[in-house]
Amino acid sequence: MNSFETYKKRLLAYGSTPDEVIINNTKDTINKSFDSSLFSESIPINGELTDVIINQGKTSEDKTLLFRPDYESHKGAIAEINDSPFLITEFDTNRLYPIAKAKLCNSSISLTSSDRKIPSGKINEITGKPIMITVPGEKLEVPCVFERTTSIIGSELAINIPEGQAHVTIPFLKHEKLRKGLFLSFYGEEFRVDDIDYSKVYGDTGTIRLIAKKKVGGDSE
């Protein structure tokens, strides 16, 4: 076997085609960069430790996350950075250079499910029917991004949301209490959910935006 054939054989050990060899070599280089980088760290994303390189955004509330090749995530995932939750609002599925944009969750909303009636295991001696007991509904704390201003797509400019209104962005979830008319409290002020935007939900992932208006006299829960 001549030297060219030996070289070719070594190359094809990284893939079955020249293009595949290039891609796999690139992935190998990126992974080695992660291994040697002083800026690489492991953080929980949806509870699973993940290798990332974190770049600062325009403000301390904005982060860009760089991942190892082939990493898969989605909009709406929660990343824990320095013990603070960040909501992933964008995710590029590029297999070589996966990248995400994340925003600090500066508040949270509480959703409590309805109480349930369940059998106690005892029988009413008079009626002969099972005695039911009440189980309190479960309380769910959902991290969110509360905003009174919003960015213009494709621009670094921010515009004020109409007076008395706020946008609340949360990870996608299904909950019986998540509906129009829901009352929420932020920083000592009461808001009522006026509309719900599901345009950034894809299947069972993504983000939901609640359009909330400041509570006024006469509003009731």
Side-chain angles (χ1 to χ4, degrees):
M1 182 181 295
N2 60 37
S3 58
F4 175 75
E5 289 298 323
T6 301
Y7 172 72
K8 182 178 178 181
K9 184 177 180 180
R10 288 177 179 173
L11 274 183
L12 291 179
Y14 287 90
S16 58
T17 66
D19 285 345
E20 192 174 296
V21 169
I22 293 172
I23 291 172
N24 288 337
N25 276 333
T26 302
K27 289 180 180 180
D28 186 55
T29 300
I30 295 171
N31 279 318
K32 287 178 179 177
S33 296
F34 262 84
D35 293 337
S36 61
S37 174
L38 296 176
F39 302 102
S40 176
E41 57 184 297
S42 293
I43 64 171
I45 297 182
N46 280 358
E48 183 176 340
L49 280 179
T50 304
D51 291 341
V52 299
I53 293 176
I54 303 172
N55 289 335
Q56 182 64 52
K58 292 179 292 184
T59 71
S60 60
E61 296 184 352
D62 300 290
K63 307 289 185 186
T64 298
L65 309 180
L66 309 179
F67 302 98
R68 289 180 182 270
D70 295 322
Y71 176 73
E72 295 182 3
S73 188
H74 56 81
K75 294 178 182 178
I78 295 292
E80 295 286 338
I81 302 175
N82 296 327
D83 296 323
S84 295
F86 279 73
L87 177 65
I88 291 181
T89 56
E90 297 179 34
F91 184 78
D92 187 339
T93 55
N94 185 306
R95 306 291 290 183
L96 282 178
Y97 304 100
I99 186 171
K101 301 286 187 181
K103 196 167 186 64
L104 175 67
C105 294
N106 54 4
S107 192
S108 65
I109 65 173
S110 297
L111 298 172
T112 303
S113 59
S114 301
D115 295 345
R116 295 181 297 118
K117 295 281 189 180
I118 63 171
S120 66
K122 299 179 180 180
I123 301 296
N124 186 305
E125 295 180 356
I126 298 176
T127 64
K129 294 181 179 180
I131 297 175
M132 307 298 287
I133 59 175
T134 300
V135 177
E138 295 183 0
K139 184 177 181 180
L140 177 66
E141 287 289 332
V142 183
C144 71
V145 178
F146 175 83
E147 298 174 296
R148 291 186 186 273
T149 62
T150 187
S151 299
I152 300 175
I153 296 176
S155 169
E156 294 187 359
L157 297 176
I159 59 173
N160 290 325
I161 292 170
E163 182 68 25
Q165 191 178 107
H167 290 173
V168 183
T169 306
I170 61 174
F172 171 75
L173 77 158
K174 295 178 181 178
H175 196 282
E176 61 180 292
K177 295 296 177 67
L178 186 62
R179 58 177 183 264
K180 294 180 184 180
L182 174 68
F183 283 88
L184 303 170
S185 178
F186 298 101
Y187 309 110
E189 294 182 304
E190 296 292 322
F191 290 82
R192 181 179 185 274
V193 175
D194 192 58
D195 200 4
I196 302 178
D197 179 5
Y198 289 97
S199 63
K200 293 186 178 180
V201 173
Y202 309 93
D204 289 329
T205 62
T207 58
I208 298 172
R209 185 175 65 171
L210 310 178
I211 293 86
K213 290 186 177 180
K214 195 171 179 180
K215 184 179 177 182
V216 296
D219 286 344
S220 59
E221 298 191 34

